[in-house]
Amino acid sequence: MLVLGIESSCDETGVALYDSENGLVAHQIYSQIALHALYGGVVPELASRDHIRKLPLLVNAALEEAGKDYKDIDGIAFTEGPGLIGALMVGALYAQGLGYALNKPLVGVNHMEAHLQAVHLEEDKPEYPFLTLLVSGGHSQLVLVEAFGEYQILGDTLDDAVGEAFDKTAKLMDLPYPGGAKLAKLAEAGDEKAYAFPRPMLDSGDLRFSFSGLKTKVAMTIKDATEADYPNIAASFQRAVIDTLTAKAKKAVLQTGVKSIVIAGGVAANQLLRQELARVMDPLSVRVFYPRPLFCTDNGAMVAYVGHERLVRNQGAVNYEVKLKARWPLSDLSQKVDQHDA
């Protein structure tokens, strides 16, 4: 089965083809960073318009890359949510029209499930069950993945997600958009012990996260600092975040007894986070997995993979009916009960 995957939830237009026998056979992506950098953040209307311009071109490029034609497509997967409604609508309506024209099944994919499963695009991947630290601009979660489609959320964020905290802190330092990766780069030149920032909720007794207090403390520090202090602030902030994430992840591993943990989402590309999580997990004989950086950020490959898995299992196919979801929690995909609600 050859599945076309379409990702358009925010500011990347992603298209990919995933084949049952050969795996990922084509991957095309266009980033809108240069467009939105002029405004210091994503402008939803401009994002939607750019998806309209780029999506058909990327589909053609993906088919050419794979040596395939439209008639070879067996199914179409598109991001149904969560995300910006206007941006989601572009990908969904394109998929709807193409599916109708080709008489092929459609499947709407949860964007966070796609991030969760992106590690399966790699040769080195975990066996079920495994734990996932899902960290992005909008989510900070610890998720027990018991099987494909079976997800138990062990801990969620109460306020700012970790990626959002990175981006907002970077903006306070006047770093160019997107600021999170630039803050991590700036931190390389700083002393992570220069400032004693809090490690939020380490003693909360649960696996939830909160980064708003840390962000506020850093904002107050930046207000009284000079630009020369920024590398030390960035390094100290990053260390506080990573200490928090790795401590909560260790606690989750001890609670669940899993032997594999995955880092997924945009923040999973942070090299220090990868190194520190591996260091913390090594004494526990727990292996750490993660997608390559290209598949940590939004992309069509992860959508194509999840769509393929859904279609081969006869799950979720729709008859050209599109119901987009600006918010769509992972817990809606599984009958598993959230631990903190049990």
Side-chain angles (χ1 to χ4, degrees):
M1 174 178 282
L2 181 68
V3 175
L4 171 68
I6 297 171
E7 156 60 25
S8 67
S9 65
C10 192
D11 59 344
E12 272 98 18
T13 313
V15 171
L17 289 164
Y18 191 89
D19 180 68
S20 296
E21 294 183 3
N22 301 307
L24 187 66
V25 293
H27 178 255
Q28 297 287 325
I29 192 164
Y30 174 79
S31 173
Q32 300 176 0
I33 284 177
L35 172 65
H36 298 294
L38 299 171
Y39 306 94
V42 177
V43 181
E45 176 66 18
L46 295 181
S48 301
R49 291 176 181 271
D50 220 33
H51 287 310
I52 293 171
R53 285 191 288 266
K54 299 299 182 180
L55 182 54
L57 302 178
L58 292 178
V59 172
N60 286 337
L63 288 169
E64 183 177 353
E65 179 187 351
K68 301 291 184 179
D69 194 81
Y70 283 97
K71 61 180 174 56
D72 298 317
I73 296 172
D74 297 307
I76 303 169
F78 62 94
T79 302
E80 192 172 8
L84 302 173
I85 282 294
L88 290 168
M89 190 176 295
V90 175
L93 293 181
Y94 182 93
Q96 182 185 48
L98 185 60
Y100 185 80
L102 298 176
N103 192 28
K104 300 297 182 181
L106 305 183
V107 60
V109 169
N110 181 294
H111 182 76
M112 302 318 299
E113 182 184 22
H115 275 303
L116 203 70
Q117 293 289 348
V119 70
H120 286 102
L121 296 166
E122 307 296 340
E123 289 188 13
D124 190 21
K125 51 197 171 188
E127 295 182 359
Y128 296 108
F130 58 86
L131 188 72
T132 295
L133 176 62
L134 186 56
V135 279
S136 68
H139 296 79
S140 297
Q141 295 178 324
L142 281 161
V143 184
L144 178 61
V145 183
E146 299 185 69
F148 181 85
E150 294 185 15
Y151 312 120
Q152 184 180 358
I153 299 176
L154 305 179
D156 210 334
T157 185
L158 299 176
D159 40 58
D160 288 359
V162 62
E164 186 180 9
F166 263 93
D167 289 340
K168 288 181 177 179
T169 301
K171 196 166 187 176
L172 291 171
M173 295 183 187
D174 294 321
L175 296 176
Y177 171 84
K182 293 180 175 62
L183 186 148
K185 183 67 177 177
L186 179 64
E188 294 177 5
D191 178 5
E192 62 184 24
K193 297 181 180 179
Y195 294 90
F197 292 137
R199 275 63 170 164
M201 296 189 70
L202 285 190
D203 299 320
S204 63
D206 56 36
L207 296 173
R208 297 185 182 189
F209 299 98
S210 171
F211 293 102
S212 61
L214 170 61
K215 185 193 67 179
T216 300
K217 178 64 175 178
V218 175
M220 293 171 62
T221 303
I222 291 172
K223 185 178 179 181
D224 297 326
T226 66
E227 194 169 330
D229 299 317
Y230 285 2
N232 288 341
I233 294 173
S236 300
F237 164 77
Q238 179 175 246
R239 170 53 65 178
V241 169
I242 290 175
D243 284 353
T244 302
L245 293 174
T246 54
K248 293 279 188 174
K250 179 179 179 180
K251 185 175 182 178
V253 163
L254 293 174
Q255 284 185 10
T256 59
V258 298
K259 290 301 179 183
S260 300
I261 184 169
V262 172
I263 321 174
V267 183
N270 185 289
Q271 293 300 311
L272 185 59
L273 174 58
R274 294 184 177 198
Q275 294 167 14
E276 286 300 293
L277 190 62
R279 182 186 65 79
V280 169
M281 293 299 158
D282 185 61
L284 303 176
S285 299
V286 173
R287 287 195 62 195
V288 179
F289 297 84
Y290 37 76
R292 72 195 80 168
L294 180 65
F295 296 145
C296 289
T297 55
D298 295 350
N299 63 87
M302 63 184 190
V303 176
Y305 172 78
V306 171
H308 173 271
E309 295 302 296
R310 291 280 178 191
L311 289 171
V312 296
R313 289 171 168 81
N314 295 315
Q315 297 176 352
V318 296
N319 294 320
Y320 315 120
E321 182 181 4
V322 172
K323 294 182 179 179
L324 301 176
K325 304 175 181 70
R327 298 184 182 276
W328 189 9
L330 267 174
S331 54
D332 286 358
L333 297 179
S334 178
Q335 298 302 313
K336 300 295 178 182
V337 179
D338 292 1
Q339 179 170 299
H340 59 249
D341 292 334

